[in-house]
């Protein structure tokens, strides 16, 4: 089966915010926010820090579910602790998702992501997986963080000429951080937008 | 006519990213990114810095169009300069919008927005307007920046315990800035999420 993730707005090579649910050893369910990179066709790539329940579960079960949601409380509760069991459907997906898809592990690799500011050797595992079953109940786009950074950068840009030197330096610092994230996760349009802004800042004599 | 902005995902009292198009004195068209606060029913509030073409046009014409788009290049081009005339429809909206709505000015007020970090007296005008005609071609949600800040804050939170004191301080600073923006623009769920994270940081002995 060829499950096409462009249906939920994913672009090849870009990273999207999702909540991944897995089965614990005792049969209960677990959920954690994980960035999912769309690798084209029916393939995805995720990177998970060692020592997490999610990674243990994926290594043991060789499968997981990617839930597509824009609900900030689900992200928050599942980051700070465990999502209660009554948040899950019997099939392991989270309740009330507009879209979710099941994945089977193809390959596990040790990796250090170079673009990450918190680099440590042997800290994470990169997992390549195949989408085996996609459910789309309502029109929904997987969330990409790039656009928010472009908007923030533009808001700062409009103030650039009316603030003092310290604040200008702060804005250049923020530009660099935003650009780092956009290059990692953003769409082609986000990246092009940051390049346009970068040129304008360079015209003003800065090196963003 | 009661034009209901909840149709495009707007929540009363919250601010959404849009591009506002207006008519210049010579009949040509102008566009600029402006945050739109939904004031409930068919009313919106916008705040525009003095000296902008958009403000001059709105004061003269007493009307404008709010374009709902997630295209970062449209935001970037219309921030850095003028959107070329062939980007506009004859009715003044921007081409290929999934949704847009026309507004008539009800009231103009001088104002300083207290939550803004760049405060200056008499710098901006607050405009209350009535939605007179809404076009929704495709299912689309107006963009709210709150969720992106919640996700960024959660990503920082997961690294909080593995970074040094300088980086912890940087994360607390980022939390404060994110919380400021979320309180201003975010949805109820975004605000609740930030409160949950704040409590966790306080348990760790910080004052975010």
């Amino acid at each position: 089966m060829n499950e096409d993730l462009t249906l939920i707005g994913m672009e090849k090579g870009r990273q999207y915010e999702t909540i991944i649910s897995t089965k614990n050893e005792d049969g209960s369910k677990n959920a954690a926010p994980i960035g999912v990179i769309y690798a084209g066709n029916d393939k995805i790539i995720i990177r998970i820090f060692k020592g997490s329940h999610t990674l243990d579960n994926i290594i043991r079960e060789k499968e997981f579910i990617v839930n597509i949601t824009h609900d900030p409380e689900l992200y928050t509760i599942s980051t700070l602790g465990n999502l209660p069991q009554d948040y899950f459907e019997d099939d392991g997906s989270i309740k009330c998702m507009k879209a979710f898809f099941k994945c089977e592990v193809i390959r596990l690799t040790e990796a250090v992501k170079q673009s990450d500011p918190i680099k440590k050797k042997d800290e994470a595992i990169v997992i390549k997986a195949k989408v085996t079953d996609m459910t789309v109940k309502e029109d929904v786009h997987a969330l990409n963080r790039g656009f928010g950074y472009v908007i923030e950068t533009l808001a700062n840009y409009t103030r650039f000429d009316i603030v003092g030197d310290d604040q200008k330096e702060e804005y250049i610092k923020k530009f660099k951080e935003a650009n780092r994230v956009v290059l990692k996760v953003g769409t082609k349009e986000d990246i092009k937008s940051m390049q346009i802004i970068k040129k304008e800042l360079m015209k003003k004599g800065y090196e963003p």
Side-chain angles (χ1 to χ4, degrees), chain A:
Chain A
M1 201 188 316
N2 193 351
E3 301 288 353
D4 181 6
L5 298 185
T6 61
L7 274 178
I8 51 169
M10 286 192 176
E11 196 178 289
K12 189 179 168 179
R14 304 290 90 206
Q15 181 177 310
Y16 298 85
E17 307 304 317
T18 76
I19 299 183
I20 288 187
S21 49
T22 53
K23 201 200 284 181
N24 293 320
E25 204 161 8
D26 65 2
S28 64
K29 295 168 182 94
N30 182 64
I34 311 270
V36 166
I37 299 166
Y38 181 33
N41 298 318
D42 57 351
K43 305 293 189 300
I44 64 160
I45 289 168
I46 57 176
R47 170 176 170 269
I48 310 188
F49 281 83
K50 287 186 184 176
S52 74
H53 288 305
T54 299
L55 182 58
D56 295 344
N57 291 345
I58 291 177
I59 290 173
R60 189 183 56 253
E61 303 289 333
K62 301 280 186 295
E63 59 178 30
F64 55 92
I65 293 175
V66 177
N67 300 276
I68 305 299
T69 172
H70 293 195
D71 181 340
E73 286 185 78
L74 284 179
Y75 285 89
T76 303
I77 299 170
S78 59
T79 297
L80 301 182
N82 294 320
L83 213 55
Q85 292 301 306
D86 61 0
Y87 276 64
F88 296 93
E89 297 281 2
D90 288 341
D91 66 7
S93 67
I94 299 170
K95 282 181 183 168
C96 303
M97 292 295 100
K98 289 183 180 172
F100 63 92
F101 52 90
K102 296 183 182 183
C103 291
E104 279 176 17
V105 173
I106 298 174
R107 197 174 66 220
L108 298 162
T109 324
E110 294 262 346
V112 179
K113 196 169 192 180
Q114 293 308 322
S115 68
D116 199 289
I118 317 292
K119 285 179 208 169
K120 281 186 191 168
K121 279 213 174 176
D122 306 325
E123 58 164 358
I125 296 283
V126 173
I127 298 163
K128 188 163 186 179
K130 178 184 163 69
V131 181
T132 56
D133 188 22
M134 180 155 70
T135 303
V136 180
K137 292 182 189 165
E138 277 184 65
D139 189 30
V140 64
H141 271 57
L143 192 108
N144 183 291
R145 286 161 68 201
F147 184 63
Y149 282 94
V150 175
I151 295 292
E152 187 197 275
T153 303
L154 285 170
N156 293 343
Y157 180 87
T158 61
R159 289 165 172 165
F160 199 81
D161 290 333
I162 57 173
V163 298
D165 285 346
D166 281 0
Q167 187 64 43
K168 279 192 174 66
E169 207 174 290
E170 185 68 23
Y171 283 161
I172 294 293
K173 199 174 139 194
K174 282 190 177 179
F175 176 90
K176 287 180 182 171
E177 169 64 9
N179 203 35
R180 185 187 70 78
V181 178
V182 168
L183 285 172
K184 190 175 81 170
V185 308
T187 64
K188 284 190 294 287
E189 292 74 24
D190 294 329
I191 293 169
K192 197 173 160 192
S193 295
M194 292 300 285
Q195 285 169 338
I196 296 171
I197 303 166
K198 187 174 184 171
K199 274 186 197 157
E200 292 300 315
L201 289 171
M202 287 171 79
K203 278 187 203 163
K204 292 181 192 289
Y206 291 87
E207 288 184 26

